[in-house]
Amino acid sequence: MAVVKARQQDIDMLARLLRAEAETEGEMGMLLVGNVGINRVRANCSDFKGLRTIPQMIYQPHAFEALQHGMFYQSARDRERRLAQRSVNGERNWPAKFSLWYFRPGTFENPGPCPPTWYNQPLAGRWKKHCFYEPTAEECENVYNTF
């Protein structure tokens, strides 16, 4: 059962984002990107107030670097569609379980260490080359109450 409303075109859009943002991180890495996106839609706090749909989340200005690259604009594939649907259905995994932010420090070839905070929010953990950050309860109590 979906935790956010999603039409097939929304699933396809989310699938394209997962691939463009994290294909090199494997299926779990792509699923973690989906977790962050769905958290942003559901949390209604911090930089993500008023986001209610997957397209609003994806096209929020400056939200995802992948929108600047061609891979996002390629057709969705079945593997990523399945991962996107799992995210929409509410599957959440550490370190993105409550995360609203992630990034890859350093370069692609030489990832750097994860800073202990990002935008003043604590590090939740790392998956391969990406660092995940969840908000404090003071910043966004609602993200902890969404499931």
Side-chain angles (χ1 to χ4, degrees):
M1 173 130 165
V3 296
V4 298
K5 289 183 180 182
R7 304 164 295 174
Q8 187 58 53
Q9 63 198 44
D10 299 334
I11 298 294
D12 287 352
M13 184 183 296
L14 182 57
R16 294 185 353 247
L17 180 71
L18 301 185
R19 179 179 177 203
E21 285 281 319
E23 182 176 39
T24 61
E25 303 285 297
E27 288 194 4
M28 181 56 74
M30 289 188 282
L31 190 58
L32 295 174
V33 168
N35 292 169
V36 169
I38 297 304
N39 287 346
R40 288 178 178 186
V41 172
R42 298 198 71 210
N44 196 32
C45 64
S46 187
D47 298 330
F48 313 107
K49 287 181 182 171
L51 298 181
R52 288 289 157 267
T53 68
I54 289 171
Q56 287 174 342
M57 176 268 297
I58 291 174
Y59 288 113
Q60 182 184 27
H62 313 292
F64 297 102
E65 185 178 317
L67 273 65
Q68 300 171 15
H69 306 289
M71 186 180 284
F72 175 74
Y73 299 96
Q74 296 174 3
S75 296
R77 300 185 305 191
D78 288 341
R79 176 177 83 153
E80 288 83 25
R81 281 188 189 107
R82 286 190 298 273
L83 295 170
Q85 187 65 59
R86 287 168 59 186
S87 295
V88 167
N89 288 349
E91 181 179 331
R92 298 194 307 175
N93 299 279
W94 181 89
K97 187 172 184 178
F98 301 111
S99 294
L100 293 175
W101 302 272
Y102 65 89
F103 86 108
R104 183 181 67 216
T107 64
F108 186 79
E109 298 80 20
N110 187 21
C114 294
T117 60
W118 184 252
Y119 292 104
N120 296 319
Q121 304 307 307
L123 175 69
R126 183 179 198 131
W127 176 261
K128 295 187 178 182
K129 296 179 182 178
H130 284 87
C131 306
F132 290 83
Y133 296 83
E134 60 185 52
T136 62
E138 185 177 277
E139 174 74 18
C140 186
E141 182 179 356
N142 197 41
V143 78
Y144 300 99
N145 299 322
T146 59
F147 291 88

